[in-house]
Amino acid sequence: MKHNLQDTISLLTRTPAALDALLRDLPETWTFRNEGEGTWNAFDVVGHLIFGERTDWIPRVKIILEFGENRTLEPFDMRGHERESQGRSLGQLLDEFARLRSKSLGELRALNLRQEDLERRGRHPALGVVTLSQHLATWAAHDLTHLHQISRLLAHQYREAVGPWSAYLGVLQCAGHSSA
Amino acid sequence: MKHNLQDTISLLTRTPAALDALLRDLPETWTFRNEGEGTWNAFDVVGHLIFGERTDWIPRVKIILEFGENRTLEPFDMRGHERESQGRSLGQLLDEFARLRSKSLGELRALNLRQEDLERRGRHPALGVVTLSQHLATWAAHDLTHLHQISRLLAHQYREAVGPWSAYLGVLQCAGHSSA
């Protein structure tokens, strides 16, 4: 499946409502527990998604369009959300994620990107040359990697409770692969 | 985290709306593609969830409560949804899943299960002795295993499109572990 901008936008549009439906007012025994030391809980993940809207997705689109390969993209701060999330509720974070995503998509649509824009190249600090198309596809896949992570970290809380059924539940065999 | 019936119900209540928010009217390039031969697409997964509402979750609760270990639970038919889903739209399946889940939860609440009920034992055809508590915890974890699967199978469609970022996306390292 090639990257299709409209398909990407369709997915990106849906993520805030999907997370809201899953997480809002869910008991904190689900949403404030993680998978062990150094891992994130659902609250952390939503904070990270907010931080990405602010500092990564549209900002990098603009840098690629304006500077191409001549300006290396800023490294993304994987802990950047921590201070911003402090003292806030999960409901507040879900509201903010929805608001920022909507704003991001408004900016994306306003750019009226054409095929030749999608082929523009930028320079990633670790990965080297990347295209705008790859960046936008990654935005959608990044939503999915965190939905995947949230489903896994929630399921982890019931690892013991399911008893012998754990052998049948694929999500409980998932080791996480990476931070997400 | 021990099994808590109210936490289980909270999760089970949210799954239909979360899947609806994610999948309804999402382009078919996302929802009707799978991860390769013999795997499910998102439409298949929702069909499977519907079939579970009909034949697995509440029916097994009733058998455990009525017969305990004296009656072995019916094996679950992993292909049972195929015929029922034929000719239907994903929107229709999402509607039906929401309706059946709501009905299931109404029946579950009406049973007014007490702690001693949750300790009742049944006999699984492959796993042997299981408790009602484990069965109910598995219901919630099963929702999560399929949310995990859906996020993975959607992300799979962009495996090529993300280019070098694939190394950073945990969901693309997930091999699936089992059918889900």
Side-chain angles (χ1 to χ4, degrees):
Chain A
M1 179 165 164
K2 265 192 60 181
H3 177 235
N4 175 296
L5 182 58
Q6 291 314 311
D7 289 348
T8 292
I9 290 174
S10 290
L11 195 293
L12 291 172
T13 302
R14 283 165 173 73
T15 308
L19 291 180
D20 197 283
L22 181 64
L23 298 175
R24 187 177 295 268
D25 299 326
L26 193 64
E28 294 193 355
T29 48
W30 289 114
T31 55
F32 281 83
R33 296 193 189 185
N34 63 20
E35 296 175 278
E37 198 178 329
T39 66
W40 287 351
N41 60 28
F43 179 83
D44 297 324
V45 175
V46 180
H48 165 76
L49 290 170
I50 288 171
F51 196 71
E53 294 303 306
R54 282 199 203 289
T55 70
D56 186 331
W57 304 110
I58 289 294
R60 283 184 169 186
V61 169
K62 291 178 178 169
I63 289 168
I64 293 171
L65 288 174
E66 187 168 350
F67 301 101
E69 294 176 58
N70 296 323
R71 182 163 146 195
T72 302
L73 300 168
E74 293 285 320
F76 182 79
D77 181 357
M78 288 296 287
R79 301 187 59 178
H81 61 283
E82 290 177 5
R83 203 178 49 190
E84 292 187 8
S85 297
Q86 268 176 22
R88 308 181 68 192
S89 70
L90 180 55
Q92 288 174 319
L93 294 193
L94 290 165
D95 287 341
E96 183 168 12
F97 177 48
R99 186 178 63 75
L100 290 174
R101 173 58 59 86
S102 174
K103 179 165 168 281
S104 297
L105 292 176
E107 290 182 59
L108 180 62
R109 287 195 190 89
L111 291 169
N112 272 315
L113 297 173
R114 297 153 304 174
Q115 188 55 41
E116 59 260 41
D117 297 317
L118 296 176
E119 289 160 16
R120 290 290 300 277
R121 294 149 79 93
R123 187 170 298 279
H124 185 276
L127 299 171
V129 173
V130 291
T131 67
L132 184 57
S133 170
Q134 289 167 346
H135 172 70
L136 294 169
T138 299
W139 190 1
H142 179 266
D143 277 8
L144 294 168
T145 217
H146 287 294
L147 185 60
H148 181 258
Q149 177 184 28
I150 287 172
S151 62
R152 187 187 67 235
L153 71 87
L154 294 178
H156 176 75
Q157 312 311 322
Y158 267 15
R159 190 173 289 280
E160 303 301 322
V162 301
W165 267 289
S166 61
Y168 288 6
L169 293 163
V171 68
L172 294 179
Q173 322 308 321
C174 183
H177 321 294
S178 75
S179 60
Chain B
M1 179 166 165
K2 265 192 60 181
H3 177 234
N4 176 296
L5 182 58
Q6 292 313 312
D7 289 348
T8 293
I9 290 174
S10 289
L11 195 293
L12 291 172
T13 302
R14 284 165 173 73
T15 309
L19 291 181
D20 198 284
L22 181 64
L23 298 175
R24 188 177 293 268
D25 298 328
L26 193 64
E28 295 193 356
T29 48
W30 289 113
T31 55
F32 280 83
R33 295 193 188 184
N34 63 20
E35 296 175 277
E37 198 177 329
T39 67
W40 288 350
N41 60 29
F43 179 83
D44 297 324
V45 175
V46 180
H48 166 76
L49 290 170
I50 288 170
F51 196 70
E53 293 304 304
R54 283 199 204 288
T55 70
D56 186 331
W57 305 110
I58 290 294
R60 284 184 170 186
V61 169
K62 291 180 179 168
I63 288 168
I64 293 171
L65 287 175
E66 187 168 349
F67 300 101
E69 295 176 57
N70 296 322
R71 183 164 146 193
T72 302
L73 301 168
E74 293 285 319
F76 183 79
D77 182 357
M78 288 297 288
R79 300 187 61 180
H81 62 283
E82 291 178 3
R83 203 178 48 189
E84 292 188 8
S85 297
Q86 268 177 24
R88 308 181 68 191
S89 71
L90 179 54
Q92 288 174 319
L93 295 193
L94 289 165
D95 287 340
E96 184 168 10
F97 178 48
R99 186 177 63 75
L100 290 174
R101 173 58 58 89
S102 174
K103 180 165 167 280
S104 297
L105 292 176
E107 290 182 58
L108 180 62
R109 287 195 190 90
L111 290 169
N112 272 317
L113 296 173
R114 297 154 304 174
Q115 188 56 41
E116 60 261 40
D117 296 319
L118 295 176
E119 289 160 16
R120 290 288 301 276
R121 294 149 80 93
R123 187 170 298 280
H124 186 276
L127 299 171
V129 173
V130 291
T131 67
L132 185 56
S133 171
Q134 289 167 345
H135 172 70
L136 293 169
T138 300
W139 190 0
H142 179 265
D143 277 10
L144 294 168
T145 217
H146 287 294
L147 186 59
H148 181 258
Q149 178 184 29
I150 287 172
S151 61
R152 188 187 68 234
L153 70 87
L154 294 178
H156 176 75
Q157 312 312 322
Y158 267 16
R159 191 172 287 279
E160 303 301 321
V162 301
W165 267 290
S166 62
Y168 287 6
L169 293 163
V171 67
L172 294 179
Q173 322 307 321
C174 182
H177 322 293
S178 75
S179 61

